[in-house]
């Protein structure tokens, strides 16, 4: 079953063809990073206009790379939310147009669920495949969620951020340190030359609950920079990265042990961070699965993989499918 996945929830226009929810035949991504970098963040109106320019070329490239014709496709999966309304609309309308023109079934995918399904991509040579029940840590630009996944499409939300998401915190810390945009990769790169023990940043443990909070650590960093206590940008970056990773890893491992899940899935853009990957794998007695970095950040292969399991469960949407910018999971 070949599924065309389409993802336009934020600032990446992406299309991919995935076979049987696992084998990636193509994975095309047009990033808008350079366009938004000069503003230091995503400008929603600019993002939707850029999606309009990129969507048809990206769809054509994805079909060409997969050496697939429209009649080879079995179905279409598209992100309906959460995300920017104007951006989501471009993908959803492209998907509906193809579904109507080719008579193909359509399914709307939750972007966060898509991130989780990045773990089903790839062949069996990758090692273990996901086994339920799973604990999912979703860390992206808009979310820091801990979810129990009992089966396909079956989620219980255990914890979330009380304020900023982990990725948002990385982006803001990079701005404080003058490291540019997007902040996550900039902090990670700068941190390689820094000393994480150079300054002590606070950790919000929020004991007894599985929620996160990342606004305090940002304010602490800002105050230290203002007082001239951060000697170099790399030192600030390394200390900040360690503080965020410490909280994410410690809380996730504690919940995984308590719930006795079979595996832990680390997903979302921040899961591309090497220190987070290493620390979670090292500190968790329960096996950790994490997609390769290119499948952690936004892509359409993960949407096609999730779409496959939705189709198998009979979750088909009509042409009245609409965007849901504040869509939740669990
Ligand atoms: O999942 P994603 O690509 O888009 C959303 O759904 O939000 O996540 C984007 C977030 C951004 O905040 C970005 O700074 C962060 O992921 N990110 C990273 C790294 N790569 C991307 N954060 C830390 N380290 C990285 N290497
Ligand atoms: Zn994402």
């Amino acid at each position: 079953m070949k599924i065309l996945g389409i993802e336009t929830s934020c600032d990446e226009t992406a299309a991919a063809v995935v076979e049987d929810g696992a084998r990636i035949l193509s994975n095309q991504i047009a990033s808008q990073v350079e366009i938004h970098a000069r503003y230091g963040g995503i400008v929603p109106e600019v993002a939707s206009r850029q999606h309009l320019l990129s969507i048809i070329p990206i769809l054509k490239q994805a079909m060409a790379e997969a050496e697939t014709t429209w009649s080879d496709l079995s179905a279409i999966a598209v992100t309906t939310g959460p995300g920017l309304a104007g951006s989501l609309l471009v993908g959803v309308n492209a998907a509906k147009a193809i579904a109507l023109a080719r008579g193909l079934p359509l399914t709307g995918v939750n972007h966060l669920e898509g991130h989780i399904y990045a773990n089903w991509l790839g062949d069996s040579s990758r090692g273990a495949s996901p086994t339920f029940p799973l604990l999912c840590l979703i860390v992206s630009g808009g979310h820091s969620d801990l979810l129990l996944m009992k089966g396909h499409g079956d989620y219980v939300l255990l914890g979330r951020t009380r304020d900023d998401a982990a990725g948002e915190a990385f982006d803001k810390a990079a701005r404080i340190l003058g490291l540019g945009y997007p902040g996550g990769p900039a902090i990670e790169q700068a941190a390689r030359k820094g000393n994480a023990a150079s300054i002590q940043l606070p950790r919000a443990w929020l004991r007894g609950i599985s929620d996160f909070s990342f606004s305090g650590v940002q304010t602490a960093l800002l105050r230290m920079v203002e007082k001239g206590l951060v000697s170099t940008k790399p030192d600030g970056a390394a200390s900040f990265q360690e503080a965020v990773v410490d909280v994410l890893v410690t809380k996730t491992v504690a919940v995984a042990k308590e719930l006795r899940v079979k595996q832990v899935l680390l997903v979302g853009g921040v899961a591309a961070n090497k220190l987070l990957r290493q620390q979670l794998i090292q500190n968790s007695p329960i096996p950790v699965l994490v997609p390769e970095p290119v499948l952690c950040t936004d892509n359409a292969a993960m949407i096609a993989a999730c779409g496959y399991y939705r189709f198998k469960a009979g979750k088909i949407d009509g042409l009245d499918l609409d965007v849901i910018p504040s869509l939740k999971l669990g």
Side-chain angles (χ1 to χ4, degrees), residues 7 9-10 12 111-112 115 138-142 268-269 296-299 302:
E7 154 65 42
S9 68
C10 195
E12 253 96 37
H111 179 82
L112 301 170
H115 273 301
I138 307 178
V139 271
S140 68
C296 289
T297 46
D298 287 352
N299 66 86
M302 67 187 197

